[in-house]
Amino acid sequence: TLSIIRMFRCIIPSLLQRNRAAAKAIANGCGGLQTLSATAVVLDRRAICGLSVASSSTTMPVRVSLLPTNRSMTTAYQGIPGDGKHNAHLISDIIPFQTTLIDGRRVEVDYFRHVEDDIEEDEYYAGMALMNLIIREGRSWPFDQEFESVDDWRGYFLSHSAFVVRAINNGMDSSKKDSSRSGEILGCFYVKPNYPGRCSHVCNGGFITAPRFRRLGVGRLMGRVFLRAAKDLGYKSSYFNLVFKSNVGSVLMWESLGFERVAVLENAAALEGMEEGELD
C-alpha cells in the first residue's frame, strides 16, 4: 500500500549528534556551510510527537525569532503576502551563500529578486511558474490547483523566509543536452511555522528543484541551508507534513540529513501517474 510519511527533526541536536554531523559535513565537502553550532543546548522535552530528545549538561539561551502579531496565526498552508525576507538580519551571515554543485556549476542561495514592471527579470514570477509546474506534475505536492496571481503565491511561499538557488555561471542541465544561463533559477524553498501561536517554534519547509536540474545536488544544498537558516531564525525543530513514499529520493535525502519518520498515513493522496483508484 502506498502512503505518505511525516518526518521530524530537532534543529538543535545533542552535542554527540552535532559532532557526528559536523564530521559528516566536513567529509561531504559542505563548502564552508556549517549546519550546526558548537554550543550545547538542552531542548524542551515537550516536543511534538512524544519524541524524547537527548540533551547535554550545558544549557544556553536559545534565540527565538518572535513573530509580529499579524503573522501569529500563520501555518504551513496560509500566510500574508511578503517578500520572503522576514527576520533577514538573523541570517545575514549565511545569506547569500555561494557554493559549487557536483557538475562544477557555481550557484548562490539568495532571496528572491523582485523587479517591478519586468516579468522576465522578476523572480517572483519565476517562483510562481516553478510552483505551478510542480502542481501540474502532481507527484510531490498536495495541491491540485495552480496559483493564479503572484499575490496568492506570495501569501503561501513568501510569507516568512524564502530563497532561490540561482546559477552564477552558464552550464548544462541534468540531461547534458540543453544549456542554462547565468541567473537561472535551479530551485527554491521556504522556511515558516508549521503551526500557529504556541507551536510556531516548529517550522515547516517546502522545496522545489526545477525538473531539468534534478540530480545535480540542488535538493541537498537547499536542505543543508534550510537546517542552518531555520536554527538561526529561532526554530527549535522541523516537521514535514507530507513526504510521499513514492518520492524515494526525497525520503532518503531527508533521512540522511537527520530526519526521522514519525508517522505513516496510508492511502493519503491521489497523485498523477497512479493507477486509477490507487493512492499514495
Side-chain angles (χ1 to χ4, degrees):
T1 302
L2 296 175
S3 56
I4 65 168
I5 299 169
R6 290 187 169 182
M7 307 187 78
F8 173 86
R9 185 190 166 174
C10 290
I11 298 298
I12 311 173
S14 68
L15 184 61
L16 176 60
Q17 290 172 316
R18 272 199 305 278
N19 288 342
R20 290 175 177 172
K24 183 177 181 180
I26 294 172
N28 289 341
C30 283
L33 176 64
Q34 296 181 353
T35 303
L36 309 170
S37 71
T39 304
V41 179
V42 173
L43 292 179
D44 186 345
R45 288 184 178 271
R46 294 171 296 178
I48 61 172
C49 303
L51 293 182
S52 62
V53 180
S55 61
S56 65
S57 59
T58 305
T59 60
M60 295 290 290
V62 178
R63 181 176 59 187
V64 177
S65 171
L66 298 179
L67 305 179
T69 302
N70 62 353
R71 296 176 188 264
S72 63
M73 293 306 293
T74 293
T75 68
Y77 295 104
Q78 64 182 17
I80 60 174
D83 61 4
K85 299 179 181 179
H86 182 58
N87 278 342
H89 64 284
L90 297 179
I91 51 176
S92 60
D93 59 330
I94 63 169
I95 301 297
F97 173 73
Q98 295 188 0
T99 189
T100 303
L101 296 181
I102 59 177
D103 66 343
R105 182 199 320 263
R106 293 289 294 172
V107 298
E108 62 181 354
V109 179
D110 197 6
Y111 297 107
F112 283 81
R113 291 174 180 168
H114 176 46
V115 182
E116 293 187 11
D117 303 321
D118 191 340
I119 295 179
E120 293 296 326
E121 296 297 326
D122 192 340
E123 292 180 346
Y124 287 3
Y125 284 90
M128 185 177 75
L130 188 54
M131 179 87 212
N132 284 341
L133 174 62
I134 297 303
I135 292 174
R136 291 194 301 273
E137 191 178 64
R139 297 287 299 172
S140 54
W141 287 63
F143 303 117
D144 59 2
Q145 296 183 8
E146 298 179 33
F147 288 91
E148 296 183 352
S149 75
V150 170
D151 281 346
D152 287 343
W153 172 79
R154 287 174 56 222
Y156 174 72
F157 215 94
L158 300 185
S159 64
H160 284 74
S161 306
F163 313 92
V164 299
V165 178
R166 183 186 302 119
I168 295 177
N169 53 4
N170 298 332
M172 303 292 289
D173 64 13
S174 54
S175 72
K176 305 295 184 183
K177 297 178 180 179
D178 299 316
S179 62
S180 61
R181 61 178 175 80
S182 173
E184 192 162 356
I185 303 303
L186 282 60
C188 57
F189 68 101
Y190 63 71
V191 188
K192 61 180 175 181
N194 202 10
Y195 311 103
R198 298 181 187 278
C199 298
S200 59
H201 60 281
V202 180
C203 70
N204 181 266
F207 306 82
I208 301 174
T209 299
R212 62 191 294 249
F213 297 112
R214 290 170 181 165
R215 299 180 298 280
L216 295 178
V218 176
R220 180 167 292 276
L221 169 62
M222 292 191 291
R224 294 195 345 251
V225 176
F226 167 81
L227 290 174
R228 170 63 188 273
K231 183 181 75 70
D232 288 357
L233 286 166
Y235 296 105
K236 297 182 180 180
S237 56
S238 179
Y239 185 85
F240 292 162
N241 302 308
L242 299 171
V243 180
F244 295 115
K245 186 177 180 180
S246 56
N247 193 350
V248 177
S250 178
V251 174
L252 292 175
M253 186 192 78
W254 291 116
E255 288 181 333
S256 75
L257 290 175
F259 280 76
E260 299 178 2
R261 304 186 191 194
V262 295
V264 177
L265 306 180
E266 304 291 347
N267 301 323
L271 301 180
E272 292 293 333
M274 299 285 104
E275 297 291 337
E276 184 175 357
E278 186 178 16
L279 299 176
D280 194 358

